[in-house]
Amino acid sequence: MLARRRKEESTRFLSRAQPKMYSGSDIISLLGSEIIGQRTAQGMEWESPFGFREELEVVVSALSSNGDALAIGPDPRGSWVIVAPFALPGERIRVRVYRSSRLHSFADLLEVVSPNLELRDDSRIGCKYFGKCSGCQYQMLSYKSQLDIKRNVVIKAYQNFSGLPESLIPNVLPTIGSPLQYNYRTKITPHFEAPPRRARQTDSIDSSISKPDWLKIGFNEIGKRTVMDIEDCPIATPVLNEAFSGMRKDIANNIWSYKKGASLLLRDSIEVNSANKQSISDDPGSSSQERERHICITDPKATVRERVGDKYFEFPGHSFFQNNNSILVPLTDYVRDAIFPKIPEHFTDQCLTHLVDAYCGSGLFSIMLCSHFQTVAGIELSSDSIKFATHNAHLNDIPEGRCTFRAGDAANIFSVVSEFPREKTALIIDPPRKGCDENFIDQLVAFRCKTVVYVSCNVHTQARDVGMILDKMERHGDEKGRYVLESLRGFDLFPQTAHVESVAVLRLI
């Protein structure tokens, strides 16, 4: 059974269809196909040459897409990769191994023996927990370096997962930075564990203990499932940090009432009151914005309100909405300009008049772009999302019928916009991290609208999906035209972290 599992893992390792955090391409680029083939033939690809808690020094060769350092083991054990956090290419580091997998081992960073001073400047670090907390990876880097690294993540994703020849992949444009690099995050979910059994028998009797030493309220430690006690998070908005301080005190005072641990929800929201409860686009100017008061929402069922440019959006606390408000205007403006490029070769007699917003959520792209189209339709499988998206259209006084939200059937999702003229229609897709399934892509290819803008929080699945779209168009023939991948660009929605959003633009030619 074990041998069969390892064989199956070996097969998946080399497949582009299932992107992994540490992909076969990362390992191949470091070790080389010959070494990997030898270890596999010998049945040694799961046999780590490093023992549990063994300490060693290695030189970092590259960064993974999630910001971890990748290094080759020292001779004579150089046919293995070491993965460690918080280190940079060219640095010599001392690490301690704690877990092994196929052809690589995970290790804790103990010391940066020789830092890369061209990249690293520890005076930039803005959090005393950086290096232990799992939330951020890049606080020691300049912001320009962060953006350059994230551009390289997009490049490698399309090289390794799209299956496309280099000639079909455009030059990846520079990553668009966030206007805020700290205090930008509008949602955090810290957590804590319930009192351990032993503490209930001892500490609960002593009322003088205001906050027991074992009580940790915060975020996970890197590489572990243990919670770190963190008083505030510098990438979260000031409103959230202020509210979190009060919540920590309340939890400490009432900790003995908790039978289980809990995850908290804190979302930055514009306060809704009687003066601004109804339609608010009548007065979108600075005077109304100056009166806005931000509060922290902690109830998952409560309504959160955010402003993006001159538009307002409301949604339940538990639902998805982008967590960096400061970059949403640049992002939606970029998508608009991608659909309507100011390039002569794209000027046609048949201008785009209709927009389909698949995976529309609360209606961000539909509502932000609706003034540029005659008709906009957002498609969602979630009835709750459709309800709030429709509410947001009314909230912003969008004319009746211009921007509608429709329930889509996964088996035939574009049937609800069958009346849209394909040659005059643009499509925006913004799926979850897993990307699009093949059924959706088949429907997209059959729908064959003029322009597709694919916004993704996982560039690896985006690359896979874009490759599949172009491959299916090629195999189905081009009598009705085919898509070309016109542009690729990253957006930094989460500064100080390794995460990068990606926008791909496909045009029917």
Side-chain angles (χ1 to χ4, degrees), residues 65-78:
S65 61
N66 70 342
D68 281 340
L70 304 177
I72 298 175
D75 288 336
R77 297 178 290 177

Side-chain angles (χ1 to χ4, degrees), residues 13-43:
F13 179 80
L14 297 174
S15 170
R16 75 172 181 89
Q18 297 291 332
K20 297 291 195 303
M21 187 174 295
Y22 300 104
S23 67
S25 58
D26 284 331
I27 305 299
I28 290 171
S29 65
L30 289 178
L31 298 181
S33 300
E34 183 177 350
I35 290 177
I36 293 175
Q38 290 173 356
R39 290 197 72 96
T40 303
Q42 297 166 359

Side-chain angles (χ1 to χ4, degrees), residues 428-441:
I428 297 173
I429 53 177
D430 186 6
R433 288 190 62 81
K434 66 180 181 179
C436 306
D437 61 28
E438 189 167 1
N439 176 47
F440 178 88
I441 289 176

Side-chain angles (χ1 to χ4, degrees), residues 126-129 219 230-236 241-242 244-245 248:
C127 177
K128 63 182 179 180
Y129 300 108
F219 306 95
I230 296 178
E231 301 89 352
D232 63 77
C233 176
I235 65 172
N241 279 319
E242 182 179 354
F244 185 39
S245 177
R248 285 171 52 85

